[in-house]
Amino acid sequence: MKRGLALGCGGTLGMSWTVATLAELERTWDWDAREAEVIIGTSAGAELAAMLGGGTAIADIHRAQLGDHEAPTWLADHLKAGPGPLPPAPKLAGLRPASLSLAGAAVRRKAPALAGVCGLLPRGTYDPGWLIKLAETTGNNAGWLDHPAVWLVAADYDSGDRIAFGAPGAPRATLAQALCASWGLPSWLPPVEVDGHRYVDGGILSPASADLTIGLGLDELVVLAPMASSDPGRPVGLLAAGERVVRRRMTRILDKEIAAVEAAGTRVIRLEPNGRDLAAMGPNFMDAKNRSATLVSASASAQERFATELVA
């Protein structure tokens, strides 16, 4: 069976949710996610894709997320070095919108509304050094990954075009460039320039870019989309209500992508947080203090679902 894997955006806690859920899926299916025909990663999903594509087992990544002392030291150190819960405060000169052209593309409906909003945000200034070090750790001598098909999705910061670095026909980029671009959340991290174009977080265009697998002849596609949810529960508080607005838009994008993938003849396994998971995560998906609660909830939700579904 030709099975693909799409790992969506979701920040610090989306990464934790994805790791816990994928660990449960591996156990249920007795399957190693590193064996997927293609691994597509977006933002935090790109971070996980780089780990898997570089040969790191999901079990080790899960141990590191749990704080297990048996986890590889480099993974534990990597987790400690990630971004904080709030974007860096920009200097006065840096408050101007970083991409009016992207905002304009959204007005002309050439890019999603969320991308247009991101174009109005200031340029991010957080140091992406933890991602550069990850690329150095997981990459091979050829400047990419040992896995034959890992695609890291980013957005052109001016046109709103979607680019999957590593895919056939994509601009040539180093693993560090592609990883930093895919994770380049506006107002948090800076854009990355490749061949004269600026690239940022691919999640501003799609939560998982599942539709990029159309034409690959996959029998099955596993999609883990922590920023989408068909059953998000009721938000508590203004921040959670605002988060749900973004989530609803991303869910609609994913709905369309999955419908297209299924119409092309690929079975899709769609995994996303439920209301209980979202309550554990809280409205700020960059807040690492909720990591433990997210891991516990995601594992429990996955076990409940997999007890009756998805038995290989």
Side-chain angles (χ1 to χ4, degrees), residues 14-296:
M15 171 80 155
S16 297
W17 178 89
T18 300
V19 168
T21 303
L22 188 54
E24 293 296 338
L25 183 63
E26 280 199 345
R27 283 191 283 268
T28 299
W29 278 356
D30 190 23
W31 173 62
D32 189 330
R34 294 173 293 183
E35 297 175 356
E37 294 285 331
V38 60
I39 303 175
I40 297 177
T42 303
S43 194
E47 180 182 355
L48 181 54
M51 293 179 187
L52 294 173
T56 307
I58 197 67
D60 283 336
I61 302 170
H62 194 205
R63 290 189 188 97
Q65 290 269 334
L66 290 168
D68 190 327
H69 69 278
E70 294 185 0
T73 301
W74 73 267
L75 277 173
D77 292 342
H78 174 76
L79 282 180
K80 295 174 184 175
L86 297 174
K91 297 180 180 179
L92 186 61
L95 288 174
R96 63 181 182 275
S99 182
L100 289 175
S101 58
L102 181 59
V107 170
R108 297 189 303 274
R109 297 189 177 182
K110 300 294 185 181
L114 176 61
V117 172
C118 288
L120 297 175
L121 295 175
R123 185 182 187 276
T125 59
Y126 191 87
D127 183 0
W130 99 102
L131 293 173
I132 295 172
K133 189 171 182 178
L134 175 63
E136 293 171 350
T137 302
T138 61
N140 58 25
N141 292 333
W144 200 249
L145 295 156
D146 287 338
H147 188 286
V150 174
W151 301 354
L152 307 184
V153 182
D156 188 305
Y157 208 16
D158 296 298
S159 69
D161 292 336
R162 187 173 47 163
I163 298 295
F165 291 111
R172 290 183 65 94
T174 66
L175 179 59
Q177 286 177 317
L179 189 54
C180 292
S182 187
W183 226 119
L185 184 62
S187 81
W188 251 278
L189 288 119
V192 175
E193 185 168 323
V194 178
D195 288 344
H197 291 261
R198 299 185 302 162
Y199 295 97
V200 292
D201 195 324
I204 70 174
L205 300 179
S206 168
S209 287
D211 59 321
L212 294 182
T213 63
I214 294 174
L216 297 182
L218 298 178
D219 300 301
E220 191 170 79
L221 175 65
V222 178
V223 179
L224 291 103
M227 280 305 295
S229 183
S230 302
D231 180 25
R234 181 171 296 179
V236 178
L238 290 176
L239 286 177
E243 187 270 352
R244 292 300 194 276
V245 172
V246 175
R247 185 170 294 278
R248 282 195 295 272
R249 289 184 177 276
M250 288 196 166
T251 300
R252 287 196 290 268
I253 291 172
L254 186 62
D255 289 343
K256 293 179 181 178
E257 291 181 357
I258 287 180
V261 173
E262 291 178 331
T266 298
R267 178 180 181 238
V268 177
I269 306 300
R270 175 175 178 164
L271 302 172
E272 56 194 15
N274 57 28
R276 180 178 64 189
D277 297 337
L278 295 180
M281 295 165 77
N284 183 355
F285 49 80
M286 300 293 284
D287 194 349
K289 72 177 175 56
N290 289 338
R291 176 179 284 137
S292 179
T294 299
L295 291 165
V296 170

